[in-house]
C-alpha cells in the first residue's frame, strides 16, 4: 500500500515525466476496446481498457485523482500486448505510456523487504548475467535428469501448488546440459551462395532453456544463405526490466547490446522471440533522451528482423522442398511480433509453403494468449481465463499442431494443452523448429 507521501511524489513525477501530448492524442473513440483482452475478460470494465488506463493517467497528471492502489492495480492488470496500437486512429503509443507510468510508480514506492530482495535478485543478480542464467537453468536440468522430478510427481508434492503452476512444471522443456549451453558457436558460414551477414540475438531463456530452438534458427539462417555471427558480449534485451518498472537497468542492457552488434557490421540483426524483438525495436524510444545513443539505436533498429521475416525476404521457400506428414496446423501470433514489429504474414506464408500440412487460421489468433512474460504467474487468474478462451478457438481449428513465435507463448499454449488434457493429440512448437523439420535438416 502506498502512503500519502509516496502518492504525492508519484503524482509529481507523473506531471514531470509522463508524455502529456501522447495522453492528449487519445480521442476516447473506443476503437481499442474490442482488441483489449483485459477489458473483455473483466466484463467490459472501462478501467481495464487502454482508453480507461490513459484516462486514469491523465487524471493523475491533472491532480483529479490520487495514484492509489486502484490506479496501480489497473496498470498492473494490463498484459502489455499492445493490440490497441495498430487499431488506434490517432497512433497513440500506449505501450510507452504504460512503461513510463509503471516505472514512476515502482521507483517511488516502498517495497516490502521480500519484494525488494526478489526484484534485486532477478533484475540485478540474474538476467543481466548470462553465465548465472545458465547455472540457474542448469539446476532445472539437474532436477529433470536426476530423477527428482519423477519422485516429486510420484509423491504428489506438486499438489501443494496452484493448479496452473503444477501444470506449468509438466510442460517445461527438457533443459540442455551445461556443456551444450557453453559450447554454442560464435560464427557459422552460409550454406550455398552467401546472400547476407546476420547477427543473431540469442536472448536469455532462448539460449538456455530453448537452446534447441536457437540452434534451429541458426541452421535456418545458414540454409537461407546467411553468414551467422553471434556476439558473445550481448546481454538480455531488457524487456522484463522495462515492463516491470526498472527502466534504468533496461537502458544499461540496451547500450550493451547496441555496442555488441555494432561491432559485427552485419546486414541484419535477427531475433526468434517476439517479446525480445519488440523491446529491441523500441531502443530508439528507450534512449530518446540521450542523443548519441538515440542515433545508434535508430541504426540498430533499422537492421532488426524476426527469423520468419528474414526467411521470407530471402525467399527461403523457393527452390527448396518442405514436407511434413499430413496434419492440420494453426498459428498463434506473438502479440509483440505482430503489434510492435509488424510481422504477421511472413510466418503464415512460410507455414503454408510446407507440403503435407493444412493450415487453418484460428479465430482470434491475433489476441493475446495470456502469457505476457511473467504475467501468467503474477496475474494467474486473468491469464488462465484468457488461456481457457484461447483453447476454445484451438478446438475449433481441429489442429494437431499449434505454432508460435515466442517462448512465453509456446509455454502458454503447452500449458493450455496440458490443462485441457490434450497432450496425446495436440502439440505446440516454435516455428523455427517446425521449419527445420520440414526442411529435413
Amino acid at each position: 500500500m502506498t502512503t500519502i507521501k509516496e502518492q504525492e511524489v508519484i503524482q509529481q513525477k507523473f506531471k514531470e515525466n509522463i508524455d502529456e501530448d501522447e495522453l492528449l492524442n487519445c480521442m476516447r473513440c473506443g476503437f481499442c476496446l474490442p482488441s483489449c483482452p483485459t477489458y473483455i475478460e473483466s466484463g467490459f470494465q472501462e478501467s481495464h481498457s487502454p482508453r480507461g488506463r490513459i484516462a486514469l493517467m491523465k487524471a493523475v497528471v491533472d491532480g483529479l485523482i490520487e495514484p492509489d492502489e486502484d490506479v496501480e492495480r489497473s496498470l498492473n492488470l494490463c498484459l502489455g500486448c499492445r493490440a490497441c496500437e495498430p487499431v488506434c486512429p490517432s497512433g497513440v503509443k500506449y505501450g510507452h505510456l504504460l512503461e513510463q507510468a509503471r516505472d514512476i510508480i515502482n521507483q517511488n514506492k516502498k517495497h516490502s523487504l521480500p519484494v525488494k530482495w526478489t526484484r534485486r535478485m532477478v533484475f540485478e543478480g540474474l538476467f543481466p548475467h548470462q553465465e548465472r542464467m545458465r547455472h540457474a537453468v542448469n539446476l532445472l536440468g539437474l532436477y529433470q535428469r536426476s530423477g527428482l522430478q519423477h519422485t516429486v510427481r510420484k509423491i504428489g508434492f506438486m499438489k501443494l501448488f496452484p493448479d496452473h503452476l503444477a501444470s506449468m512444471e509438466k510442460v517445461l522443456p527438457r533443459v540442455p546440459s551445461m556443456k551444450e549451453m557453453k559450447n554454442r558457436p560464435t560464427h557459422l558460414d552460409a550454406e550455398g551462395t552467401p546472400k547476407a551477414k546476420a547477427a543473431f540475438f540469442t536472448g536469455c531463456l532462448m539460449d538456455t532453456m530453448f537452446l534447441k530452438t536457437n540452434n534451429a534458427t541458426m541452421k535456418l539462417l545458414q540454409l537461407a544463405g546467411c553468414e551467422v555471427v553471434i556476439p558473445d558480449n550481448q546481454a538480455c534485451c531488457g524487456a522484463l526490466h522495462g515492463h516491470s518498472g526498472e527502466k534504468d537497468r533496461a537502458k544499461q542492457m540496451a547500450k550493451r547490446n547496441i555496442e555488441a552488434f555494432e561491432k559485427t557490421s552485419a546486414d541484419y540483426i535477427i531475433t526468434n522471440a517476439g517479446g525480445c524483438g519488440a523491446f529491441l525495436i523500441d531502443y530508439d524510444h528507450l534512449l530518446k533522451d540521450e542523443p548519441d545513443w538515440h542515433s545508434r539505436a535508430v541504426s540498430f533498429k533499422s537492421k532488426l528482423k524476426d527469423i520468419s521475416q528474414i526467411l521470407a525476404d530471402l525467399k527461403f521457400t523457393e527452390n527448396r522442398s518442405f514436407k511434413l506428414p499430413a496434419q492440420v496446423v494453426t498459428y498463434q501470433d506473438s502479440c509483440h511480433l505482430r503489434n510492435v514489429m509488424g510481422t504477421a504474414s511472413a510466418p503464415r506464408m512460410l507455414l503454408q509453403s510446407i507440403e503435407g500440412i493444412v493450415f487453418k487460421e484460428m479465430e482470434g489468433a491475433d489476441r493475446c494468449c495470456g502469457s505476457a512474460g511473467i504475467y501468467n504467474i503474477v496475474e494467474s487468474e486473468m491469464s488462465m481465463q484468457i488461456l481457457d478462451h484461447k483453447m476454445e478457438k484451438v478446438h475449433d481449428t481441429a489442429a494437431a499442431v499449434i505454432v508460435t513465435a515466442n517462448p512465453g507463448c509456446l509455454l502458454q499454449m503447452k500449458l493450455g494443452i496440458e490443462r485441457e488434457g490434450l497432450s496425446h493429440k495436440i502439440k505446440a512448437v516454435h516455428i523455427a523448429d517446425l521449419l527445420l523439420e520440414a526442411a529435413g535438416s
Side-chain angles (χ1 to χ4, degrees):
M1 180 179 293
T2 54
T3 65
I4 294 176
K5 180 62 177 177
E6 287 171 339
Q7 289 181 12
E8 290 175 351
V9 173
I10 291 170
Q11 188 160 44
Q12 184 60 37
K13 294 294 183 181
F14 262 58
K15 292 178 181 179
E16 295 172 357
N17 297 293
I18 292 285
D19 188 341
E20 191 165 8
D21 288 339
E22 198 67 62
L23 290 175
L24 291 171
N25 278 343
C26 178
M27 301 186 300
R28 313 291 191 267
C29 65
F31 276 34
C32 60
L33 300 182
S35 68
C36 179
T38 54
Y39 173 72
I40 295 169
E41 297 294 344
S42 67
F44 311 108
Q45 289 188 42
E46 183 71 19
S47 62
H48 294 329
S49 73
R51 179 176 71 178
R53 292 181 177 108
I54 289 174
L56 289 174
M57 294 181 214
K58 183 68 169 63
V60 171
V61 170
D62 292 341
L64 299 177
I65 63 173
E66 304 293 334
D68 57 16
E69 282 70 28
D70 290 337
V71 172
E72 186 177 0
R73 177 63 185 147
S74 175
L75 297 178
N76 286 342
L77 195 63
C78 179
L79 289 148
C81 68
R82 297 173 71 168
C84 50
E85 292 186 16
V87 300
C88 177
S90 298
V92 175
K93 297 298 183 183
Y94 170 80
H96 296 166
L97 290 171
L98 179 68
E99 286 180 8
Q100 287 176 336
R102 283 177 170 173
D103 185 61
I104 290 169
I105 291 172
N106 176 65
Q107 297 302 326
N108 294 282
K109 66 175 288 187
K110 186 176 181 180
H111 294 294
S112 66
L113 284 177
V115 170
K116 186 182 296 184
W117 182 84
T118 301
R119 292 181 70 91
R120 182 173 296 173
M121 180 183 69
V122 172
F123 296 129
E124 291 183 48
L126 184 58
F127 276 86
H129 310 281
Q130 190 61 9
E131 187 63 21
R132 295 179 190 176
M133 281 292 296
R134 291 192 187 106
H135 284 289
V137 172
N138 189 51
L139 291 176
L140 175 60
L142 292 174
Y143 165 73
Q144 293 174 337
R145 295 188 293 269
S146 66
L148 181 59
Q149 183 179 50
H150 175 74
T151 302
V152 164
R153 291 177 180 178
K154 187 174 182 180
I155 65 176
F157 181 73
M158 293 307 299
K159 292 180 181 179
L160 298 175
F161 294 86
D163 289 344
H164 75 284
L165 290 180
S167 296
M168 200 174 293
E169 186 268 348
K170 293 180 181 179
V171 303
L172 290 173
R174 301 297 297 180
V175 174
S177 67
M178 180 64 81
K179 182 179 179 181
E180 290 174 297
M181 288 189 279
K182 284 188 172 183
N183 286 346
R184 179 184 44 72
T186 57
H187 180 272
L188 294 166
D189 292 323
E191 296 192 9
T193 304
K195 296 181 179 179
K197 184 178 183 180
F200 181 45
F201 180 80
T202 56
C204 302
L205 287 177
M206 288 303 299
D207 214 36
T208 50
M209 189 178 294
F210 295 93
L211 183 65
K212 175 176 174 288
T213 300
N214 266 7
N215 290 340
T217 301
M218 290 186 284
K219 183 64 175 179
L220 289 171
L221 287 170
Q222 288 180 280
L223 292 174
C226 290
E227 174 192 356
V228 185
V229 290
I230 307 97
D232 58 6
N233 54 339
Q234 60 183 288
C236 167
C237 67
L240 183 62
H241 300 74
H243 300 327
S244 304
E246 296 284 344
K247 192 173 181 179
D248 287 343
R249 293 191 179 93
K251 286 183 176 182
Q252 292 170 13
M253 283 179 283
K255 292 174 182 177
R256 181 173 159 186
N257 282 324
I258 291 170
E259 285 186 328
F261 282 88
E262 281 176 341
K263 294 176 182 177
T264 67
S265 301
D267 302 305
Y268 303 105
I269 299 170
I270 305 302
T271 176
N272 60 1
C276 294
F279 201 76
L280 294 169
I281 210 167
D282 258 354
Y283 275 0
D284 59 331
H285 174 76
L286 182 67
L287 299 169
K288 63 183 175 63
D289 296 325
E290 301 180 49
D292 290 342
W293 281 106
H294 177 260
S295 61
R296 294 167 73 176
V298 170
S299 178
F300 178 93
K301 174 179 181 175
S302 69
K303 296 182 177 183
L304 191 69
K305 287 182 181 287
D306 179 71
I307 179 62
S308 63
Q309 190 62 60
I310 187 64
L311 293 178
D313 291 349
L314 294 177
K315 304 185 186 306
F316 179 58
T317 57
E318 294 184 8
N319 304 315
R320 183 182 295 275
S321 175
F322 288 87
K323 189 173 183 179
L324 286 173
Q327 57 197 298
V328 178
V329 174
T330 193
Y331 178 71
Q332 166 61 31
D333 282 287
S334 156
C335 296
H336 289 102
L337 180 59
R338 183 185 185 100
N339 300 326
V340 185
M341 294 189 74
T343 300
S345 61
R348 290 170 167 82
M349 182 275 289
L350 292 169
L351 292 174
Q352 290 168 346
S353 71
I354 300 174
E355 182 184 350
I357 74 167
V358 175
F359 179 77
K360 183 69 178 293
E361 185 69 39
M362 186 196 327
E363 182 184 350
D366 58 343
R367 182 165 292 172
C368 186
C369 63
S371 172
I374 59 172
Y375 187 94
N376 55 3
I377 297 175
V378 298
E379 297 289 350
S380 60
E381 183 177 354
M382 177 62 76
S383 176
M384 293 304 103
Q385 190 173 325
I386 292 169
L387 178 58
D388 288 344
H389 289 156
K390 176 65 65 177
M391 292 308 297
E392 292 175 5
K393 303 304 181 184
V394 170
H395 276 293
D396 293 341
T397 67
V401 181
I402 308 168
V403 180
T404 72
N406 186 59
C409 303
L410 178 59
L411 287 179
Q412 184 80 340
M413 298 315 299
K414 285 178 176 285
L415 179 58
I417 292 169
E418 179 67 29
R419 282 165 58 87
E420 295 286 321
L422 297 173
S423 57
H424 64 290
K425 59 185 295 188
I426 303 178
K427 66 177 182 178
V429 299
H430 191 284
I431 189 170
D433 294 308
L434 190 73
L435 287 173
L436 191 61
E437 180 186 354
S441 297

